[in-house]
Amino acid sequence: MTKTIKPLSSEQLAPSVSLPHISTCMQNPYPDPLPFIGQNRAQSALDFALGMELPGYNVFVMGEAATGRFTMVKDKLEAHCKTRPTPKEWLYVNNYDDHREPIALFMQAGESKVLADDIDSFLDEVVDTFPAAFDNPGYQRKKKSLDRDFDNKYNAALSAVEELAAKKSVAMMEEKGVVSFAPVVDGKALDDAEFMALEEAVQEHFFDAIEKLEDCLIEALIELPRWKRESSEKLRELKKTTIELATKPLLKALEHKYASHIGVIRYLKDLRVEIVDAVLDWLDDDSASEESKDDFDAKGMLSDFFAPNILVEFKEGQAAPVVYEPNPTFGNIFGKIEYANAHGTLITSYRSIQPGALHRANGGYLIMDADKVLANAQVWDGLKLSLKTHQIKNDLPYQDSSVGSSFTLKPQLIPLDVKIILLGSRDLYYTIGEYDEEFGELFRVLADFDYYLPDSDRLQYQFVTKVQEYCEQTLKCTLTGEALARLLKFSYRQAEHQNKLSARFADVLELVAEASYYAKQDGLSEIDAPHIDEAIVGKQYRTGQLSENMLSDIEEGHTLIATDGEAVGKVNGLTVLHIGDTAFGTPARITATVYAGADGVIDVEREAELGKSIHSKGVMLLTGYLGNKYAQSFSLTLSANIAIEQSYGFIDGDSASLAELCGLLSAITQLPIDQSLALTGSINQHGEVQAVGGVNEKIEGFFKLCKMRGLTGRQGVIIPRSNLINLVLDDEVLAAAQQGRFHIFAVATVDEALSLLMQREAGALVNGQYPDQSINALALARLAQIADVVNGDDKDAESDPSTEQDKDHS
């Protein structure tokens, strides 16, 4: 005989919170610092990873958002980074042998800025010195000597030609560097008109004489280009010598200052040579026109060519860097090279190299979101390559396509010493591990953040202290013990467990912050329990339009759900919908029809391609249960349809399988089901009821509907017994249950659920038979009859179980 199932007491419907314990915790805050609460497994993994200096011990932090992943990681890293040495600074300098391959230099903390300032001061000295240094009397004297040598050779050549012209009665004239000849008659050089007045024979004489003189002039000045070249070379050597003498003391001082740094010494030696040509090209008055001088930025040109490009710099004694990159694109991680447009051509230089997150975190730690890193395959491949080669990858994947044939750079690679921390979900971690063989080698440490925190007095102690600190330091307010008790219950509800708190502590702090708003609206600086409730209700109201619309549709009769009376083949199932960050329960009518046939149990949702795999599995189990329970002595043969009525979206999960089975058995036995009850639960083939998710939302969803129609004292919900530990119901439901106006039943088997729904004994199998008029006896008889009809043996058709059922009711 099936035992009577009694409603659960109000004490079983939610965990109890000790106000005296909370009061004690409030008066004596937790003595140790509390950067985070719980997660001992994850803390141990992080400590291990930070202590391992070997390659490959990077960390994947696995867990859901709002569980304190980022806070814990950052606090751990900021504490550990103080024990590590200050990283080296890195900078790029120009490679004067090949401008496409800038040279990377490293310096100790604080030295790069000093070097940059020293080079800047040196360039200022150069700009101040030149071209003024060319006005030096010694330089001018030597320059005039070179000019005089050239002029003497030039004048001597012209003098010889001029003497020959005089002998031929021809005058030689020079104006603005142009030499010309004119006939002379009676000591006077003739102009063109006078020359044309001469006799033709005289003209021919002068033509011949001038032609010969021009040939002589050409022959005399044939060495002129060589004289000019030699004069220019001597002048250039004079300028170089002058520049070297002026810059040598300045560079000598820098070389002495950085004598212990080989890389800087090489850079300065190259600079010693290149600065001479740069001054000749940019700071020589003789090589620049007056117009170009006005627009010329000499210091800027020199800086772009000689000044170092500092990528990262640190202060002496500074802790190792902890960098979080929220947008891990290729350029943001590995750095980028900027380009400028000059006359339609893209140009760049070593000064346009920009650092990435790996440069800034080099020598320390880099935190990134795994899903964002993996969103770009080139970023992920580049990161793996950098970790394997211990060098920061810098060949941009889009370089060839974006800049075409323009000038590009290939900077010298910088050694990499960084520990990567990726934050990601559980599913993502296992997906990467399955598809990427290198992942396990590069990320050997898993920091697993749990969804829940095991409840204890110590954890509640930490919870209270942490919330108090947040209120006092961030919200500038206090809160009562009742408010803290309400927050603890909220955390239990988030965890859906009476003995566990939710690891999503950020949700608790968010609720406290919203409650402080309502406290301030009341002119109070102390948050009380009603403010917490008001914040919960406020959020439900802001996000609850869809659930209210669904309830309204039921109330108006658009959606058919009964909360009283009886019906055959109809049962109230419970569903939960997740929309964004909210979840709410809503009842759904499940119907079943049975008739003679051999089609088996047909899942309408699956046939309509609305039922997903887990839901379909739950329906398939019904056939296994029916065969195991009833068809031991005959072939299970029937046709039945099961449907979730007025459902037009996809359905997944097997939590409706208990309700579907009860509806099916009601259709088989023609026994009515009490419509004032709703139920949820999954089943196995042996009729055991299994736990489901969202049990609190499901109960409250049906309660809201019953409350809207009026509580009768008969209404209630049937849940799996294994879900008792998950009950954290709203105070309004608790009050209704305590007053006997709403009931929650817990069942362990299908028979127990059937007894509650049909108000009749399910019947236990004794000596191979079920008790007369029990639910199982009627089901067995009806299934046997259908099998006989389908198989052509209907001799017992007159013994219709429905007739016996009618007799029993009469």
Side-chain angles (χ1 to χ4, degrees):
M1 185 174 181
T2 308
K3 64 180 181 180
T4 303
I5 307 296
K6 294 183 179 180
L8 299 176
S9 66
S10 59
E11 290 77 15
Q12 295 176 284
L13 303 182
S16 60
V17 179
S18 172
L19 283 174
H21 175 64
I22 291 178
S23 178
T24 302
C25 296
M26 293 178 67
Q27 295 170 8
N28 304 281
Y30 198 76
D32 299 326
L34 283 173
F36 36 79
I37 298 176
Q39 303 292 1
N40 295 329
R41 189 192 307 274
Q43 291 190 54
S44 175
L46 285 171
D47 291 336
F48 171 76
L50 297 180
M52 290 293 292
E53 299 293 340
L54 297 176
Y57 284 89
N58 300 295
V59 188
F60 190 99
V61 179
M62 183 172 72
E64 302 306 317
T67 55
R69 296 178 310 174
F70 183 79
T71 300
M72 180 189 289
V73 168
K74 191 173 182 182
D75 288 342
K76 286 281 185 183
L77 295 184
E78 288 180 348
H80 193 268
C81 71
K82 298 175 183 177
T83 65
R84 298 197 64 182
T86 304
K88 298 181 180 65
E89 298 180 330
W90 286 94
L91 58 153
Y92 277 111
V93 295
N94 204 348
N95 184 349
Y96 300 105
D97 293 330
D98 186 352
H99 297 303
R100 295 176 182 269
E101 299 183 3
I103 299 171
L105 297 180
F106 74 88
M107 303 190 76
Q108 299 303 321
E111 292 183 353
S112 295
K113 184 67 167 60
V114 175
L115 174 63
D117 291 342
D118 288 340
I119 298 299
D120 189 66
S121 298
F122 166 73
L123 296 179
D124 284 336
E125 291 279 355
V126 171
V127 172
D128 293 341
T129 302
F130 298 97
F134 296 134
D135 295 332
N136 182 279
Y139 168 82
Q140 290 294 331
R141 186 170 59 253
K142 292 178 182 179
K143 182 182 178 184
K144 289 179 180 178
S145 176
L146 294 175
D147 293 341
R148 188 165 52 250
D149 290 343
F150 173 79
D151 291 341
N152 289 339
K153 291 179 182 179
Y154 181 73
N155 292 334
L158 292 183
S159 297
V161 176
E162 188 175 15
E163 290 179 3
L164 181 60
K167 293 178 181 179
K168 296 180 179 292
S169 298
V170 176
M172 188 183 77
M173 297 172 290
E174 182 181 8
E175 184 177 359
K176 296 182 180 181
V178 178
V179 177
S180 60
F181 296 95
V184 176
V185 177
D186 298 331
K188 178 185 177 184
L190 303 179
D191 56 21
D192 291 343
E194 292 172 335
F195 177 74
M196 296 303 296
L198 296 176
E199 295 180 359
E200 186 174 347
V202 177
Q203 289 180 8
E204 288 293 333
H205 168 73
F206 279 118
F207 277 135
D208 291 341
I210 290 174
E211 184 176 354
K212 291 178 180 179
L213 288 173
E214 287 177 345
D215 291 340
C216 290
L217 178 64
I218 292 172
E219 186 177 350
L221 296 180
I222 196 169
E223 295 292 325
L224 182 62
R226 182 173 64 82
W227 298 339
K228 285 186 176 182
R229 184 172 65 253
E230 289 176 350
S231 178
S232 296
E233 289 176 354
K234 290 178 180 179
L235 179 60
R236 187 174 182 85
E237 288 300 320
L238 175 61
K239 289 181 178 180
K240 283 186 175 182
T241 303
T242 303
I243 296 170
E244 288 174 353
L245 290 174
T247 57
K248 185 176 181 180
L250 303 176
L251 289 171
K252 198 70 176 177
L254 291 178
E255 290 173 358
H256 178 73
K257 182 175 181 178
Y258 295 98
S260 61
H261 201 298
I262 297 176
V264 176
I265 291 299
R266 290 175 179 170
Y267 162 58
L268 293 176
K269 287 186 179 298
D270 291 339
L271 192 148
R272 180 194 294 273
V273 176
E274 296 297 327
I275 193 66
V276 175
D277 292 334
V279 172
L280 284 175
D281 292 340
W282 300 329
L283 300 179
D284 184 3
D285 276 345
D286 296 338
S287 62
S289 65
E290 291 298 328
E291 293 181 0
S292 62
K293 287 179 186 177
D294 296 336
D295 300 329
F296 187 70
D297 180 11
K299 175 64 182 301
M301 292 286 288
L302 291 174
S303 295
D304 287 343
F305 199 67
F306 294 108
N309 176 19
I310 302 175
L311 293 184
V312 287
E313 54 182 317
F314 301 97
K315 295 180 181 178
E316 188 175 355
Q318 183 177 341
V322 177
V323 177
Y324 171 64
E325 178 51 61
N327 182 27
T329 61
F330 199 99
N332 288 348
I333 294 179
F334 302 99
K336 54 189 174 183
I337 300 173
E338 296 180 341
Y339 290 81
N341 193 319
H343 307 293
T345 302
L346 295 176
I347 60 172
T348 188
S349 75
Y350 75 101
R351 297 268 293 173
S352 297
I353 301 174
Q354 300 298 318
L358 284 177
H359 296 93
R360 299 194 303 273
N362 203 5
Y365 311 94
L366 175 59
I367 309 171
M368 294 182 290
D369 295 307
D371 56 341
K372 295 179 181 178
V373 174
L374 289 162
N376 188 331
Q378 292 172 332
V379 172
W380 177 239
D381 290 340
L383 182 63
K384 291 192 298 180
L385 181 60
S386 295
L387 291 175
K388 287 189 291 186
T389 60
H390 306 291
Q391 292 179 318
I392 300 178
K393 177 183 174 70
N394 60 18
D395 50 326
L396 306 185
Y398 50 83
Q399 180 170 277
D400 294 338
S401 60
S402 64
V403 301
S405 60
S406 303
F407 183 86
T408 58
L409 299 179
K410 189 177 181 181
Q412 185 177 351
L413 297 179
I414 293 177
L416 178 64
D417 175 23
V418 68
K419 195 172 289 290
I420 305 292
I421 295 90
L422 293 181
L423 308 177
S425 67
R426 195 171 302 274
D427 291 341
L428 183 59
Y429 173 78
Y430 292 118
T431 301
I432 304 173
E434 182 178 356
Y435 290 100
D436 194 327
E437 297 177 353
E438 298 173 321
F439 176 68
E441 299 177 7
L442 298 175
F443 291 85
R444 299 184 180 183
V445 181
L446 171 65
D448 190 356
F449 276 69
D450 201 352
Y451 295 104
Y452 315 109
L453 304 176
D455 188 23
S456 65
D457 288 345
R458 183 170 179 267
L459 190 64
Q460 289 189 11
Y461 193 2
Q462 295 176 343
F463 182 99
V464 170
T465 299
K466 191 67 176 175
V467 172
Q468 279 186 296
E469 289 178 358
Y470 178 74
C471 287
E472 293 170 1
Q473 297 173 9
T474 304
L475 303 179
K476 309 301 181 185
C477 64
T478 59
L479 71 171
T480 65
E482 290 77 8
L484 277 166
R486 188 66 186 84
L487 289 172
L488 277 169
K489 184 176 179 181
F490 172 79
S491 187
Y492 286 123
R493 175 60 179 263
Q494 291 289 91
E496 285 192 296
H497 205 284
Q498 295 185 358
N499 296 328
K500 293 179 181 179
L501 294 174
S502 171
R504 294 175 59 91
F505 190 70
D507 291 345
V508 174
L509 299 183
E510 178 185 338
L511 180 60
V512 175
E514 293 177 7
S516 69
Y517 165 80
Y518 294 102
K520 291 176 182 176
Q521 294 291 99
D522 294 339
L524 301 175
S525 61
E526 185 177 56
I527 301 172
D528 202 355
H531 299 129
I532 303 293
D533 292 332
E534 198 172 356
I536 294 174
V537 172
K539 185 168 186 177
Q540 290 175 346
Y541 177 74
R542 293 193 299 271
T543 61
Q545 182 170 340
L546 182 58
S547 63
E548 290 180 6
N549 289 344
M550 296 181 73
L551 281 176
S552 177
D553 287 344
I554 296 173
E555 176 64 17
E556 294 171 357
H558 294 164
T559 302
L560 301 178
I561 300 289
T563 55
D564 58 12
E566 295 180 337
V568 174
K570 300 176 183 178
V571 64
N572 292 328
L574 296 174
T575 64
V576 62
L577 298 180
H578 296 272
I579 308 294
D581 61 346
T582 62
F584 60 91
T586 181
R589 170 171 284 183
I590 297 173
T591 61
T593 58
V594 175
Y595 50 92
D599 295 330
V601 179
I602 296 175
D603 176 14
V604 174
E605 310 303 325
R606 182 181 63 185
E607 297 299 318
E609 298 184 352
L610 292 177
K612 294 189 176 181
S613 55
I614 297 178
H615 176 264
S616 298
K617 175 186 175 183
V619 176
M620 290 177 186
L621 289 173
L622 302 185
T623 304
Y625 173 80
L626 292 175
N628 179 65
K629 184 82 171 180
Y630 305 112
Q632 296 295 327
S633 58
F634 59 89
S635 174
L636 180 63
T637 308
L638 81 162
S639 292
N641 287 341
I642 297 177
I644 299 178
E645 303 292 354
Q646 294 182 281
S647 171
Y648 308 106
F650 290 106
I651 298 173
D652 202 9
D654 60 353
S655 63
S657 58
L658 174 61
E660 290 170 333
L661 177 58
C662 292
L664 179 60
L665 286 171
S666 172
I668 291 172
T669 62
Q670 292 298 298
L671 292 175
I673 287 178
D674 188 352
Q675 300 298 296
S676 62
L677 296 177
L679 72 162
T680 182
S682 68
I683 64 166
N684 59 28
Q685 295 183 93
H686 296 282
E688 296 170 322
V689 180
Q690 302 167 145
V692 295
V695 64
N696 294 295
E697 289 80 4
K698 292 175 179 178
I699 293 172
E700 290 169 359
F702 191 66
F703 174 79
K704 288 179 182 178
L705 174 60
C706 295
K707 178 188 172 186
M708 184 171 62
R709 290 180 170 176
L711 295 175
T712 63
R714 288 179 49 84
Q715 296 145 334
V717 171
I718 301 172
I719 65 170
R721 184 170 295 279
S722 51
N723 273 125
L724 280 177
I725 197 70
N726 305 116
L727 292 179
V728 189
L729 292 171
D730 184 78
D731 289 343
E732 189 176 14
V733 181
L734 295 181
Q738 190 171 20
Q739 297 164 9
R741 301 167 60 218
F742 192 78
H743 311 287
I744 292 98
F745 301 93
V747 298
T749 64
V750 172
D751 284 350
E752 292 179 349
L754 290 171
S755 297
L756 286 169
L757 289 171
M758 300 179 183
Q759 296 299 305
R760 179 187 290 240
E761 283 292 327
L765 188 65
V766 179
N767 297 324
Q769 291 185 338
Y770 292 107
D772 288 343
Q773 300 306 311
S774 66
I775 299 172
N776 288 327
L778 294 174
L780 177 60
R782 177 60 173 158
L783 289 173
Q785 181 193 22
I786 294 176
D788 290 342
V789 171
V790 173
N791 295 326
D793 184 8
D794 55 353
K795 60 183 180 180
D796 295 328
E798 64 273 7
S799 59
D800 190 340
S802 61
T803 306
E804 299 296 329
Q805 175 188 322
D806 293 338
K807 291 179 180 178
D808 181 68
H809 279 286
S810 61

